[in-house]
Amino acid sequence: MDVKHIQLQMHGDASGLLVALEENRNVPFDIKRVYYLLKTRSDAHRGLHAHRSLKQLAIAVRGSMKFHLDDGFEQKEVVLSDPAQGLLLDSLIWRKMYDFTEDCVLMVLADQLYDPADYIRDYAEFRRLAREGR
Ligand code: T46
């Protein structure tokens, strides 16, 4: 599976660091929505779904967490722990998020507004759609 990371530029001076996110520049889509997950329990398993068409970029701006990604053929574990590294989450990728550190803040940029109809929550349906797409 081709897992795409985006390396973000850290602008730093003696007083601290800054990372800028710009649509269709370092973020490869129109940014329609931003949300973040925080205070996630370390034993929580979130996600457990795929999206029909949503594209997203996830950044652990603080702390660390893991993604289990599945494209219907292969599975991969990805650790996010670097605020200068974005993980591109394409459509039709089943994801589970887990192992959040207590301080973790996971920020996600999305190319669409929130739409519950875009979620695929049944793994068998996801796998069928993912395999039909190839
Ligand atoms: C994803 C992973 C990485 C909203 O009202 N608006 C929103 O934009 C979102 C994302 C969620 N919600 C509500 C819906 C639920 O009542 O927030 C609650 C928690 O959402 P959910 O259970 O979908 O959260 P996660 O952490 O399982 O998944 C989220 C995103 O939903 C999903 O698109 O890819 O983070």
Side-chain angles (χ1 to χ4, degrees):
M1 187 194 326
D2 190 20
V3 175
K4 274 205 186 126
H5 289 284
I6 293 185
Q7 196 59 41
L8 305 164
Q9 194 182 347
M10 280 266 194
H11 302 275
D13 60 27
S15 61
L17 300 170
L18 183 152
V19 176
L21 299 165
E22 296 181 286
E23 68 177 0
N24 297 314
R25 286 194 169 170
N26 57 353
V27 178
F29 50 73
D30 294 347
I31 303 167
K32 288 275 177 59
R33 178 164 54 107
V34 178
Y35 60 91
Y36 44 92
L37 278 66
L38 67 163
K39 294 185 185 289
T40 309
R41 286 175 50 137
S42 60
D43 60 355
H45 287 179
R46 298 190 63 110
L48 295 166
H49 62 256
H51 283 281
R52 295 179 196 280
S53 64
L54 188 72
K55 283 193 177 59
Q56 303 187 102
L57 183 72
I59 304 158
V61 293
R62 186 185 175 100
S64 75
M65 51 77 65
K66 291 178 186 152
F67 268 94
H68 176 88
L69 301 175
D70 178 342
D71 66 0
F73 295 87
E74 282 179 77
Q75 309 193 344
K76 273 210 175 132
E77 309 299 319
V78 176
V79 180
L80 289 191
S81 59
D82 177 357
Q85 193 180 60
L87 169 68
L88 210 48
L89 295 165
D90 217 335
S91 56
L92 288 181
I93 298 286
W94 188 267
R95 80 278 325 257
K96 180 176 82 176
M97 296 99 77
Y98 64 106
D99 264 5
F100 286 78
T101 56
E102 207 180 307
D103 61 344
C104 183
V105 179
L106 179 70
M107 183 171 73
V108 184
L109 284 68
D111 75 342
Q112 291 171 35
L113 300 179
Y114 179 60
D115 177 10
D118 191 67
Y119 286 68
I120 306 167
R121 297 199 179 271
D122 177 64
Y123 183 78
E125 184 191 0
F126 153 71
R127 200 157 182 274
R128 182 177 53 76
L129 289 170
R131 289 181 166 243
E132 270 174 9
R134 289 259 175 114

